Short mmCIF file of all heavy atoms in Angstrom, two decimals:
data_model
loop_
_atom_site.label_atom_id
_atom_site.label_comp_id
_atom_site.label_asym_id
_atom_site.label_seq_id
_atom_site.Cartn_x
_atom_site.Cartn_y
_atom_site.Cartn_z
N GLU A 1 0.84 -1.20 0.00
CA GLU A 1 0.00 0.00 0.00
C GLU A 1 0.88 1.25 0.00
O GLU A 1 1.67 1.47 0.93
CB GLU A 1 -0.90 -0.02 1.23
CG GLU A 1 -1.94 1.08 1.25
CD GLU A 1 -2.87 0.98 2.45
OE1 GLU A 1 -2.90 -0.10 3.09
OE2 GLU A 1 -3.54 1.99 2.75
N ALA A 2 0.72 2.05 -1.04
CA ALA A 2 1.63 3.19 -1.25
C ALA A 2 1.62 4.16 -0.07
O ALA A 2 2.66 4.73 0.28
CB ALA A 2 1.26 3.91 -2.54
N ALA A 3 0.48 4.36 0.56
CA ALA A 3 0.37 5.32 1.66
C ALA A 3 1.22 4.92 2.86
O ALA A 3 1.54 5.77 3.71
CB ALA A 3 -1.08 5.48 2.07
N LEU A 4 1.62 3.67 2.94
CA LEU A 4 2.41 3.19 4.08
C LEU A 4 3.91 3.20 3.80
O LEU A 4 4.70 2.81 4.67
CB LEU A 4 1.97 1.76 4.45
CG LEU A 4 0.49 1.59 4.84
CD1 LEU A 4 0.19 0.12 5.13
CD2 LEU A 4 0.14 2.46 6.03
N ALA A 5 4.31 3.65 2.64
CA ALA A 5 5.71 3.59 2.23
C ALA A 5 6.52 4.69 2.89
O ALA A 5 6.68 5.79 2.35
CB ALA A 5 5.82 3.68 0.71
N ASP A 6 7.05 4.40 4.05
CA ASP A 6 7.83 5.35 4.84
C ASP A 6 9.31 5.01 4.67
O ASP A 6 9.76 3.89 4.97
CB ASP A 6 7.42 5.23 6.30
CG ASP A 6 8.12 6.22 7.22
OD1 ASP A 6 9.05 6.91 6.76
OD2 ASP A 6 7.74 6.29 8.40
N MET A 7 10.12 5.99 4.22
CA MET A 7 11.54 5.72 4.02
C MET A 7 12.26 5.36 5.31
O MET A 7 13.32 4.74 5.28
CB MET A 7 12.22 6.92 3.36
CG MET A 7 11.94 7.06 1.87
SD MET A 7 12.97 8.31 1.07
CE MET A 7 14.62 7.61 1.28
N ALA A 8 11.69 5.74 6.44
CA ALA A 8 12.30 5.39 7.72
C ALA A 8 12.28 3.88 7.96
O ALA A 8 13.01 3.38 8.83
CB ALA A 8 11.58 6.10 8.86
N LEU A 9 11.48 3.16 7.19
CA LEU A 9 11.38 1.71 7.33
C LEU A 9 12.40 0.96 6.49
O LEU A 9 12.48 -0.27 6.56
CB LEU A 9 9.96 1.24 6.95
CG LEU A 9 8.82 1.80 7.81
CD1 LEU A 9 7.48 1.34 7.27
CD2 LEU A 9 8.99 1.39 9.27
N ILE A 10 13.20 1.68 5.69
CA ILE A 10 14.26 1.03 4.93
C ILE A 10 15.28 0.46 5.91
O ILE A 10 15.75 1.16 6.81
CB ILE A 10 14.93 2.02 3.96
CG1 ILE A 10 13.94 2.42 2.86
CG2 ILE A 10 16.19 1.42 3.34
CD1 ILE A 10 14.47 3.46 1.90
N PRO A 11 15.65 -0.81 5.77
CA PRO A 11 16.62 -1.40 6.70
C PRO A 11 17.93 -0.63 6.73
O PRO A 11 18.42 -0.15 5.70
CB PRO A 11 16.83 -2.81 6.12
CG PRO A 11 15.57 -3.10 5.37
CD PRO A 11 15.13 -1.79 4.79
N ASP A 12 18.49 -0.50 7.90
CA ASP A 12 19.73 0.24 8.08
C ASP A 12 20.91 -0.62 7.63
O ASP A 12 21.33 -1.54 8.33
CB ASP A 12 19.90 0.65 9.54
CG ASP A 12 21.20 1.41 9.79
OD1 ASP A 12 21.89 1.75 8.81
OD2 ASP A 12 21.52 1.66 10.97
N VAL A 13 21.45 -0.30 6.46
CA VAL A 13 22.67 -0.96 5.97
C VAL A 13 23.68 0.13 5.59
O VAL A 13 24.31 0.09 4.54
CB VAL A 13 22.37 -1.92 4.79
CG1 VAL A 13 21.57 -3.11 5.26
CG2 VAL A 13 21.62 -1.21 3.67
N HIS A 14 23.82 1.10 6.49
CA HIS A 14 24.64 2.28 6.21
C HIS A 14 26.10 1.95 5.94
O HIS A 14 26.83 2.75 5.36
CB HIS A 14 24.55 3.27 7.37
CG HIS A 14 25.24 2.81 8.61
ND1 HIS A 14 24.61 2.03 9.56
CD2 HIS A 14 26.50 3.01 9.06
CE1 HIS A 14 25.45 1.77 10.55
NE2 HIS A 14 26.61 2.36 10.27
N TRP A 15 26.55 0.77 6.38
CA TRP A 15 27.94 0.38 6.17
C TRP A 15 28.31 0.38 4.68
O TRP A 15 29.47 0.51 4.32
CB TRP A 15 28.19 -1.01 6.76
CG TRP A 15 27.88 -1.08 8.21
CD1 TRP A 15 28.70 -0.79 9.26
CD2 TRP A 15 26.62 -1.48 8.79
NE1 TRP A 15 28.05 -0.98 10.46
CE2 TRP A 15 26.77 -1.41 10.20
CE3 TRP A 15 25.40 -1.91 8.26
CZ2 TRP A 15 25.75 -1.74 11.08
CZ3 TRP A 15 24.38 -2.24 9.13
CH2 TRP A 15 24.55 -2.15 10.52
N MET A 16 27.31 0.24 3.82
CA MET A 16 27.59 0.15 2.38
C MET A 16 28.11 1.47 1.81
O MET A 16 28.79 1.46 0.78
CB MET A 16 26.33 -0.30 1.63
CG MET A 16 25.91 -1.73 1.92
SD MET A 16 27.16 -2.96 1.47
CE MET A 16 27.20 -2.81 -0.31
N ASP A 17 27.78 2.61 2.44
CA ASP A 17 28.30 3.88 1.92
C ASP A 17 28.81 4.79 3.04
O ASP A 17 28.93 5.99 2.86
CB ASP A 17 27.25 4.60 1.07
CG ASP A 17 25.97 4.94 1.83
OD1 ASP A 17 25.93 4.72 3.07
OD2 ASP A 17 25.02 5.41 1.19
N ASP A 18 29.15 4.20 4.18
CA ASP A 18 29.70 4.94 5.31
C ASP A 18 31.19 5.19 5.07
O ASP A 18 31.95 4.25 4.81
CB ASP A 18 29.49 4.13 6.59
CG ASP A 18 29.82 4.90 7.85
OD1 ASP A 18 30.82 5.65 7.84
OD2 ASP A 18 29.11 4.73 8.85
N PRO A 19 31.67 6.44 5.16
CA PRO A 19 33.09 6.72 4.90
C PRO A 19 34.03 6.05 5.88
O PRO A 19 35.23 5.94 5.61
CB PRO A 19 33.17 8.25 4.98
CG PRO A 19 31.98 8.66 5.79
CD PRO A 19 30.91 7.69 5.44
N ASP A 20 33.53 5.60 7.03
CA ASP A 20 34.37 4.92 7.99
C ASP A 20 34.50 3.42 7.70
O ASP A 20 35.18 2.70 8.45
CB ASP A 20 33.83 5.12 9.41
CG ASP A 20 33.96 6.55 9.89
OD1 ASP A 20 34.90 7.24 9.43
OD2 ASP A 20 33.13 6.99 10.69
N TRP A 21 33.82 2.98 6.65
CA TRP A 21 33.88 1.57 6.26
C TRP A 21 34.19 1.49 4.76
O TRP A 21 33.88 2.42 4.01
CB TRP A 21 32.56 0.86 6.54
CG TRP A 21 32.23 0.75 8.00
CD1 TRP A 21 31.83 1.76 8.84
CD2 TRP A 21 32.28 -0.42 8.81
NE1 TRP A 21 31.63 1.30 10.10
CE2 TRP A 21 31.90 -0.06 10.12
CE3 TRP A 21 32.60 -1.76 8.57
CZ2 TRP A 21 31.83 -0.97 11.17
CZ3 TRP A 21 32.53 -2.67 9.61
CH2 TRP A 21 32.16 -2.27 10.89
N THR A 22 34.76 0.38 4.34
CA THR A 22 34.97 0.11 2.92
C THR A 22 34.14 -1.11 2.55
O THR A 22 34.23 -2.15 3.21
CB THR A 22 36.45 -0.15 2.61
OG1 THR A 22 37.19 1.05 2.84
CG2 THR A 22 36.64 -0.58 1.16
N ALA A 23 33.32 -0.97 1.50
CA ALA A 23 32.38 -2.02 1.16
C ALA A 23 32.55 -2.48 -0.29
O ALA A 23 33.00 -1.74 -1.16
CB ALA A 23 30.95 -1.53 1.37
N CYS A 24 32.19 -3.71 -0.52
CA CYS A 24 32.04 -4.27 -1.86
C CYS A 24 30.75 -5.07 -1.86
O CYS A 24 30.18 -5.34 -0.80
CB CYS A 24 33.24 -5.15 -2.23
SG CYS A 24 33.55 -6.50 -1.07
N GLY A 25 30.27 -5.45 -3.02
CA GLY A 25 29.01 -6.16 -3.05
C GLY A 25 28.78 -6.87 -4.36
O GLY A 25 29.60 -6.81 -5.28
N GLY A 26 27.64 -7.54 -4.45
CA GLY A 26 27.31 -8.27 -5.65
C GLY A 26 25.87 -8.76 -5.64
O GLY A 26 25.11 -8.47 -4.72
N TYR A 27 25.54 -9.51 -6.68
CA TYR A 27 24.16 -9.99 -6.88
C TYR A 27 24.20 -11.43 -7.37
O TYR A 27 25.05 -11.79 -8.21
CB TYR A 27 23.45 -9.12 -7.91
CG TYR A 27 22.17 -9.72 -8.45
CD1 TYR A 27 20.97 -9.58 -7.75
CD2 TYR A 27 22.15 -10.43 -9.65
CE1 TYR A 27 19.79 -10.14 -8.23
CE2 TYR A 27 20.98 -10.98 -10.14
CZ TYR A 27 19.80 -10.84 -9.44
OH TYR A 27 18.64 -11.39 -9.91
#
């Protein structure tokens, strides 16, 4: 339901772009 789409509910995975961490990834 679009009305419930709150960005605050996005899971916290800040390590992926945190300058204090170095990240790599894939699919």
